[in-house]
């Protein structure tokens, strides 16, 4: 039987600073949930709370209705990778996995199985972790998370340091894991990879959920796409009217307004339109930038005016 992660009204404060603010979501069995947000949005804090590493100020984060710390031998139920660099640099990869296996009461033959699964050779497994590349540390961390064949995987930026072949391997591994009924919570700044693999999306900004739901529904056509004889003037007018407007791939502007609203603004601005239509299925990057525009650490120049 596979299980789910449930987060309800989760808040974490550090003095006057609120890192996570009334966050609620669920990660379901058989699905990959992509957890997205700008730097400092609260993703890692939320995942640390779920994994029992950071206590919440209020709210709950449970696995099948139980706090992580109350699960017997929790690493056999939840595979966690939050920081690939947080591994003992003086031990070999194989030693780290054998210690984990012994701690969890697993047969040591499982170590060789997961090493092969993550494509770490016997020679690489025998090296000390201080001599590992970041990509190798990621593979070792994923191997550790998979060691007990857990029901849940929770991975924070697992593709860091992986080459394109490694990213493809990780994508395939997680997809197959979810297809067998596992629950996957995946945080990543590689939006293209999330767009390919995720079934559900959670977008967080400044500690608050700004959007969540099935990927196909969130990326369905919304807003409008417009081309004009003067996109800069129209873009400025749309921003001044309170709409998020961004340059569209292939030219024109995507905007979170209905076509009728865009038409009126273009008329008032005396800008002639070449094309105006409802939004197509958008990509994840466009949705992400639109939803997190007010919570980005790196704000666009000129308050987001299209150029």
């Amino acid at each position: 039987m596979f299980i789910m992660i449930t987060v309800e009204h989760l808040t974490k404060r550090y003095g006057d600073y609120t890192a996570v603010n009334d966050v609620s979501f669920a990660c379901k069995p058989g699905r990959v949930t992509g957890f997205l947000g700008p730097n400092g949005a609260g993703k890692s804090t939320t995942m640390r709370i779920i994994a029992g590493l950071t206590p919440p100020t209020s709210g709950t984060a449970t696995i099948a209705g139980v706090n992580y710390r109350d699960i017997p031998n929790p690493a056999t139920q939840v595979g966690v990778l939050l920081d690939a660099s947080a591994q003992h640099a003086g031990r070999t990869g194989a030693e780290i996995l054998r210690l984990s296996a012994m701690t969890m009461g697993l047969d040591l033959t499982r170590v060789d199985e997961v090493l092969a699964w993550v494509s770490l050779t016997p020679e690489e497994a025998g090296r000390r972790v201080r001599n590992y590349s970041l990509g190798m540390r990621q593979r070792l961390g994923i191997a550790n998370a998979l060691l007990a064949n857990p029901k849940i995987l929770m991975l924070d930026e697992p593709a860091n340091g992986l080459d394109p072949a490694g990213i493809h391997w990780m994508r395939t591994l997680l997809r197959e894991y979810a297809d067998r009924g596992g629950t996957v919570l995946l945080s990543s700044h590689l939006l293209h990879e999330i767009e390919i693999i995720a079934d559900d999306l959670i977008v967080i900004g400044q500690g608050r959920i700004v959007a969540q739901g099935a990927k196909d529904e969130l990326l369905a056509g919304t807003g409008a796409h417009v081309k004009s004889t003067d996109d800069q003037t129209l873009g400025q007018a749309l921003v001044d009217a309170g709409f998020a407007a961004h340059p569209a791939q292939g030219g024109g502007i995507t905007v979170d307004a209905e076509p009728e609203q865009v038409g009126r603004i273009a008329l008032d601005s005396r800008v002639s339109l070449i094309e105006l239509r409802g939004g197509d299925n958008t990509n994840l990057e466009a949705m992400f930038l639109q939803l997190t525009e007010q919570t980005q650490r790196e704000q666009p120049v000129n308050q987001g005016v299209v150029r």
Side-chain angles (χ1 to χ4, degrees), residues 90-161:
R91 293 197 175 110
T92 69
E95 286 172 344
I96 287 174
L97 292 180
R98 283 197 292 268
L99 285 169
S100 292
M102 288 188 286
T103 299
M104 288 184 274
L106 304 177
D107 192 314
L108 293 183
T109 59
R110 178 65 176 165
V111 171
D112 292 331
E113 292 174 7
V114 294
L115 283 169
W117 200 2
V118 301
S119 301
L120 284 175
T121 67
E123 187 274 331
E124 290 169 335
R127 289 187 206 167
R128 302 207 180 275
V129 171
R130 68 166 60 93
N131 299 317
Y132 275 20
S133 67
L134 177 56
M136 291 171 64
R137 291 183 188 220
Q138 291 286 11
R139 289 176 182 269
L140 179 62
I142 293 171
N144 217 340
L146 292 169
L147 196 57
N149 193 25
K151 298 176 175 65
I152 286 178
L153 283 180
M154 191 164 57
L155 310 175
D156 192 5
E157 301 286 359
N160 275 358

Side-chain angles (χ1 to χ4, degrees), residues 219-228 231-232 234-239 242-259 262 265 273 275-291 293 304-307:
L219 299 184
T222 57
H225 176 86
V226 60
K227 288 185 180 180
S228 73
D231 283 349
Q232 182 173 340
L234 180 56
Q236 179 66 67
L238 290 166
V239 170
F243 298 109
H246 303 280
Q249 189 172 12
I253 303 168
T254 57
V255 56
D256 64 343
E258 294 303 312
V262 176
I265 291 170
L273 299 184
E275 179 183 353
L276 175 60
R277 53 182 166 80
D280 297 323
N281 288 348
T282 187
N283 64 31
L284 182 56
E285 182 179 27
M287 186 204 75
F288 178 84
L289 291 173
Q290 180 177 329
L291 289 172
E293 185 172 30
V305 176
V306 176
R307 295 196 181 279

